[in-house]
Amino acid sequence: MRIFEPHAHMFSRVTDDYERMALAGIRAILEPAFWLGQNRTSVGTFIDYFDTIIGWERFRAQQFGIHHFCTMGLNPREANDDRVNDDVMAILPRYLEKDSVLGVGEIGLDDQTPKEEKYFLGQIELAKQHELPVLIHTPHRDKKKGFERMIDLIKDSGFPMERVLLDHGNEETIKITKDLGLYSGFSIYPHTKMDPRRMVSILKEYGMERMIINSAADWGISDPLLVPKTCIALEQAGFPDEAIEQLVWDNPITFFEQEGGRLDRAELEKPANIDRRETWDGNSVLRGQDPEKY
Amino acid sequence: MTHTIPYPDWQATLDEKARTFLETARERVAENGAEVLPVLFPQLPRRLGREIPGSGLAVVQGRVWDWGAWRACDLAALELVEEAEIPGSMRVDLFLHGDMEERLMAMRTLVPAPVTDATIELLGEAQRTNTVPHFEAAICDSNLLVRALEHSAFGIEDFNRMVLKLAFIDLPLSRVLQATEHANEDLSRMLQDLATEREAAGRAVWADTNRMIARAPTAGTLARLIGGLEHGDDRQRLAAAEGMAALPKRSELAELARERWEREPRPQIRTALEKITAP
Ligand SMILES: [Zn+2]
């Protein structure tokens, strides 16, 4: 089973995770730009972070045969922070043209403040200008209201629904989103929130169309193997291989595929390939091992 | 605007869409100057392609480079950089905040340009970056490294560190054009030390070591060269023979070379051995 993991913050994961993910069939990863666990105080740290996820992080993934992509954006939490919000908006156009950037995200609402809405809409406009889809983070608190508010904002902006991926959904939100024509994302977590068993029952009820699952792995308790683990749960529940492949391969690729060739379906058929002797800024994950024998 | 590209027909290999993109990009640069380059640069590989449309050596005012290393996107980058009369600070910025491909293009487009402060700054990045394609784009397939020596901020010790890096990541010396002309004893010592370290660790030694050290012999050079003649690896043996043939004083080695010649199975190495014995 080939898997496109459409939401994992590998920046905060160790190299072993890449190896385990590759062995579990994960062929491509999309890393949305996000909040780093604490607030940044200047735009410089955003720039270095953005440069890392188009540079070193991509290089690190490729050494395990994994294609690495990302989305760029100002996350809702820091949209509230005047030390960085406008400056990040000013540098985004440049980063949105990078080869491995497949969308604007994660953007959206968190505490549902007026500032969050302002920068959310500003980034919807950027997505239009750069002809990119948007990956939307939904609030963890007051979720239903947040979902409804975001859908209203998107509708008013005239942004095409089929280019919207509304992430971190659950049994409640799918009732709101199922008929809107957008993509519904579900983050599977180990103990709390959405687990593989709950995911299976949602998919039994609603089918695979425009459904996307991810691990949202980051620096918290999370498991980058939850997409492959959910694949097993789906198989056990009797889903045919084609349906599972549609969910974990075709759907995310169809969503992020676009004009201009940044995501080439044919390229993904082969594992990423890089000369293992290469290093990034003098840094190699090989630690002196022989690249031929590794 | 001065076009230095003595390579007029490469655009004939582009399809309609790519040509239109380049045309529009050039117009945007003509209108707005270098400030639009950060948005145009990342698009070049996917819009123009990564094929290498041609080959051949370019020689312009002492600058030498091999078109065989240039992909369509690199050539387009060069056109835009020239069209924009790019300031040095922008060259550095395109590298520092570029993705893998942009960094490569930022390095490669230094090659046909005069050496400036920005060139030296980016060579410093190449020295530390060590991502092989970026290092190659800066150092290989041209004489940029040698030309950098004309700049007051780039000394022979900077040159030596670069060549040592070349050896460290095992790229061929022949790709750094004219580098052997700047052989020096300090570099020979550095390369010999690296070779000794590698031997102690049971790892392969840069095959060009003997080619470079023979041009500026220092303590231990001769013993390395002589030992190289008996190496089991053909590349090492060839480099030792070629190195010996380049030694300033080699008459006393003629006997050794002749003796090896009789047992040497490889014609190319035999030819090199004959040069040692030639007067
Ligand atoms: Zn996330």
Side-chain angles (χ1 to χ4, degrees):
Chain A
M1 181 70 64
R2 289 165 311 173
I3 294 169
F4 189 114
E5 161 60 86
H7 192 145
H9 302 289
M10 301 309 292
F11 181 85
S12 52
R13 307 297 307 192
V14 296
T15 299
D16 286 359
D17 288 334
Y18 274 121
E19 186 167 33
R20 294 192 299 139
M21 291 170 89
L23 292 173
I26 294 174
R27 176 69 62 81
I29 293 175
L30 184 128
E31 171 142 13
F34 82 143
W35 185 63
L36 292 187
Q38 63 180 33
N39 295 329
R40 283 163 276 200
T41 57
S42 73
V43 70
T45 50
F46 273 89
I47 292 173
D48 288 340
Y49 171 63
F50 290 171
D51 287 339
T52 300
I53 61 176
I54 58 170
W56 165 247
E57 206 50 60
R58 187 167 215 217
F59 178 77
R60 205 159 74 108
Q62 286 170 343
Q63 293 194 323
F64 294 89
I66 295 177
H67 298 273
H68 185 279
F69 304 98
C70 62
T71 60
M72 290 285 180
L74 171 66
N75 64 79
R77 203 178 291 228
E78 285 170 299
N80 290 305
D81 194 330
D82 293 333
R83 290 172 299 190
V84 294
N85 47 22
D86 284 330
D87 292 342
V88 173
M89 290 298 285
I91 60 164
L92 275 175
R94 175 182 198 174
Y95 284 95
L96 291 177
E97 285 302 329
K98 303 292 185 189
D99 245 4
S100 60
V101 176
L102 301 184
V104 177
E106 10 187 343
I107 59 171
L109 300 180
D110 197 55
D111 275 328
Q112 310 182 37
T113 65
K115 267 189 194 156
E116 288 175 15
E117 290 196 3
K118 173 186 162 190
Y119 291 100
F120 174 67
L121 290 172
Q123 293 184 91
I124 294 274
E125 283 310 308
L126 283 177
K128 285 184 194 165
Q129 285 162 22
H130 293 268
E131 297 175 345
L132 290 168
V134 292
L135 170 60
I136 299 184
H137 167 96
T138 58
H140 298 298
R141 295 172 297 276
D142 206 0
K143 205 172 191 64
K144 186 163 173 289
K145 179 165 159 264
F147 256 74
E148 285 164 348
R149 179 64 188 150
M150 264 184 307
I151 289 161
D152 288 344
L153 291 172
I154 297 163
K155 276 185 181 157
D156 291 348
S157 74
F159 195 78
M161 280 294 175
E162 71 276 10
R163 306 216 76 195
V164 173
L165 169 52
L166 218 46
D167 213 342
H168 313 314
N170 61 23
E171 292 90 344
E172 290 309 306
T173 61
I174 185 67
K175 290 177 194 146
I176 311 169
T177 58
K178 65 177 169 33
D179 296 323
L180 291 172
L182 50 70
Y183 279 74
S184 299
F186 297 85
S187 302
I188 327 272
Y189 294 93
H191 305 299
T192 54
K193 304 183 196 173
M194 187 58 59
D195 63 14
R197 190 182 42 81
R198 277 170 71 187
M199 194 64 234
V200 169
S201 37
I202 291 176
L203 292 166
K204 268 188 185 159
E205 186 171 353
Y206 296 95
M208 299 302 191
E209 206 187 328
R210 292 196 311 275
M211 296 291 234
I212 288 180
I213 63 170
N214 62 72
S215 71
D218 58 16
W219 24 245
I221 293 174
S222 51
D223 176 357
L225 295 186
L226 273 171
V227 172
K229 284 176 183 174
T230 304
C231 289
I232 294 171
L234 286 164
E235 251 184 279
Q236 288 168 329
F239 280 86
D241 284 355
E242 309 82 69
I244 303 173
E245 173 149 317
Q246 182 192 350
L247 178 72
V248 299
W249 186 254
D250 295 330
N251 284 358
I253 294 174
T254 305
F255 179 75
F256 286 109
E257 215 170 23
Q258 54 192 282
E259 275 295 299
R262 292 197 223 184
L263 175 61
D264 183 350
R265 211 178 260 263
E267 277 290 305
L268 294 183
E269 293 299 331
K270 302 169 291 201
N273 197 0
I274 201 155
D275 185 340
R276 281 175 169 276
R277 278 166 305 186
E278 286 177 19
T279 59
W280 180 262
D281 283 353
N283 202 347
S284 158
V285 296
L286 284 180
R287 305 271 182 243
Q289 293 168 71
D290 185 338
E292 309 294 327
K293 292 186 193 137
Y294 183 78
Chain B
M1 185 193 64
T2 50
H3 270 292
T4 63
I5 308 185
Y7 189 9
D9 247 0
W10 72 274
Q11 290 177 33
T13 64
L14 297 176
D15 65 20
E16 187 66 36
K17 233 171 137 185
R19 216 171 307 146
T20 312
F21 175 82
L22 183 58
E23 209 38 64
T24 315
R26 208 188 279 120
E27 282 163 19
R28 280 183 67 187
V29 170
E31 240 168 72
N32 307 290
E35 70 189 50
V36 293
L37 291 177
V39 172
L40 292 174
F41 245 56
Q43 302 184 47
L44 296 176
R46 61 179 182 267
R47 306 272 194 186
L48 278 299
R50 297 168 176 87
E51 298 299 314
I52 294 175
S55 60
L57 215 59
V59 184
V60 178
Q61 297 167 357
R63 303 168 211 156
V64 186
W65 67 92
D66 184 352
W67 285 125
W70 289 65
R71 307 163 307 163
C73 54
D74 301 323
L75 292 160
L78 180 59
E79 293 217 353
L80 296 183
V81 156
E82 295 199 335
E83 177 84 39
E85 295 177 6
I86 186 171
S89 57
M90 178 63 86
R91 287 187 189 272
V92 174
D93 181 84
L94 285 171
F95 178 84
L96 289 182
H97 304 299
D99 59 26
M100 302 261 273
E101 293 281 14
E102 290 176 274
R103 287 178 169 215
L104 202 155
M105 294 183 289
M107 283 300 184
R108 187 154 285 148
T109 49
L110 290 173
V111 163
V115 171
T116 63
D117 292 352
T119 316
I120 304 306
E121 194 174 339
L122 285 172
L123 286 177
E125 291 291 336
Q127 173 68 34
R128 289 188 300 273
T129 289
N130 199 25
T131 302
V132 176
H134 300 159
F135 187 79
E136 281 178 296
I139 305 305
C140 293
D141 313 311
S142 79
N143 67 346
L144 181 66
L145 182 62
V146 166
R147 287 200 295 119
L149 287 166
E150 298 157 14
H151 195 287
S152 59
F154 194 86
I156 195 72
E157 60 288 350
D158 299 302
F159 173 89
N160 287 353
R161 275 193 282 270
M162 282 289 199
V163 177
L164 187 65
K165 187 87 130 189
L166 190 80
F168 191 78
I169 57 183
D170 198 25
L171 291 169
L173 177 62
S174 58
R175 289 182 61 193
V176 185
L177 307 183
Q178 302 162 358
T180 50
E181 293 167 23
H182 297 271
N184 59 83
E185 284 186 43
D186 207 27
L187 176 59
S188 297
R189 181 197 53 74
M190 290 157 81
L191 290 172
Q192 290 177 195
D193 285 352
L194 175 65
T196 306
E197 236 177 79
R198 287 279 170 96
E199 285 159 350
R203 296 176 64 189
V205 169
W206 188 44
D208 286 314
T209 303
N210 283 332
R211 252 181 215 107
M212 196 75 191
I213 62 176
R215 280 160 167 100
T218 184
T221 303
L222 202 55
R224 278 208 159 272
L225 291 171
I226 295 169
L229 286 189
E230 292 299 317
H231 206 290
D233 178 340
D234 294 348
R235 292 183 316 152
Q236 295 283 356
R237 227 160 49 250
L238 179 63
E242 286 184 2
M244 274 191 176
L247 274 177
K249 283 180 282 177
R250 57 178 187 275
S251 50
E252 63 266 39
L253 297 172
E255 199 47 49
L256 272 173
R258 221 165 299 151
E259 193 275 321
R260 176 69 220 182
W261 185 88
E262 281 165 18
R263 291 178 293 123
E264 178 53 57
R266 300 272 167 199
Q268 201 186 359
I269 303 176
R270 284 168 77 108
T271 308
L273 288 166
E274 282 158 18
K275 286 189 189 134
I276 303 171
T277 56

